[in-house]
Structures are given as C-alpha cells and as structure tokens.
Amino acid sequence: MGVSADTPRVGIDEQLERVRAGYERIGAREAHAAVEAGEALLVDTRYQALRERDGLIPGALVVERNELEWRLDPSGSHRTPAATSHEQRWIVLCNEGYASSLAVDSLHRLGLHRATDLVGGFQAWKAAGLPVE
C-alpha cells in the first residue's frame, strides 16, 4: 500500500514531531536508573563503525536498526531471548536520538507500547558521564 498523489506530504521534521507526540521520551540519567533497577532494557541501534569509534554501553543489547523489529518482536521467529513479552520496556538509542524515534514508532505498531527512546542518543549518554566501555 503506497502513498497516493492526493496524500499530503510530510517532511521529516514534522514526522518526528508527530511520532514523538505519541509517547514520552527518556533522558540519559533516567534511562540509566531504569536499566540499573531492572525496569528496562537498553537497545543500541548504532551501526558498527559508530560503536567502534565511540564505545559501547555496558549491558546494552546491540541490534542494528535494520534488524530491530525482528529481534524485539516477542512473537517473531528471529527474536532475541530478552524479547519475552509485549510488556517489556525497551529504551532504544541511536547516535543522536533521531533514528531511534522512528524506530520506536515502528515498535509501537508491533504492540511494544512501552518502547521509548533516549533523548540525544548515545552522545547524550556519554556527555552525562554514564558508563561507556
């Protein structure tokens, strides 16, 4: 099902605004606290070159963006062992917090309604002085 010529076009900035209006995003320190308390799992969607350049967040599940839906869908045949329920709270991060918002929109459409993303992405995590290896 494609977009017809009569469908109003939306730019990416407006699309991001619409997507983000549908859920509450999370800051780096709050995300760290939720992960440490066992209330959420952190998912790093950055591609390999960025992970090699900037480091990894200890304990984060690394799932590149092009595999995300398949790995986090608890009913999927390619799911990660951590994807056990649609009630799981996922905190998705990319490098700066843009692609992760679009990823969360996709996860919400799969029924993962507790998914959110990290405002400012990995760079905000690192700037907050949170653990990176």
Side-chain angles (χ1 to χ4, degrees):
M1 181 174 181
V3 176
S4 75
D6 297 333
T7 303
R9 303 258 189 292
V10 176
I12 189 60
D13 292 332
E14 185 177 341
Q15 178 69 14
L16 272 173
E17 189 177 310
R18 288 179 182 184
V19 164
R20 290 174 174 168
Y23 67 96
E24 188 173 331
R25 300 177 79 209
I26 191 168
R29 294 199 181 281
E30 186 182 357
H32 182 257
V35 170
E36 288 293 306
E39 299 169 356
L41 294 175
L42 195 61
V43 182
D44 186 345
T45 64
R46 294 174 301 145
Y47 53 89
Q48 185 173 351
L50 288 177
R51 295 191 312 267
E52 289 174 357
R53 182 189 78 188
D54 294 336
L56 298 169
I57 297 172
L61 177 65
V62 174
V63 179
E64 290 197 19
R65 176 62 191 98
N66 63 325
E67 298 178 358
L68 189 68
E69 291 82 356
W70 285 269
R71 305 287 286 146
L72 300 191
D73 180 0
S75 62
S77 60
H78 292 79
R79 70 178 181 82
T80 183
T84 59
S85 167
H86 282 86
E87 298 305 313
Q88 174 63 49
R89 184 176 182 204
W90 299 103
I91 302 172
V92 181
L93 69 95
C94 61
N95 194 47
E96 294 181 346
Y98 296 98
S100 57
S101 295
L102 298 175
V104 166
D105 182 50
S106 182
L107 294 176
H108 285 178
R109 285 188 256 149
L110 288 176
L112 298 165
H113 62 276
R114 296 188 68 212
T116 189
D117 74 317
L118 181 61
V119 176
F122 177 85
Q123 296 306 321
W125 180 279
K126 191 172 180 179
L130 294 169
V132 174
E133 51 187 34

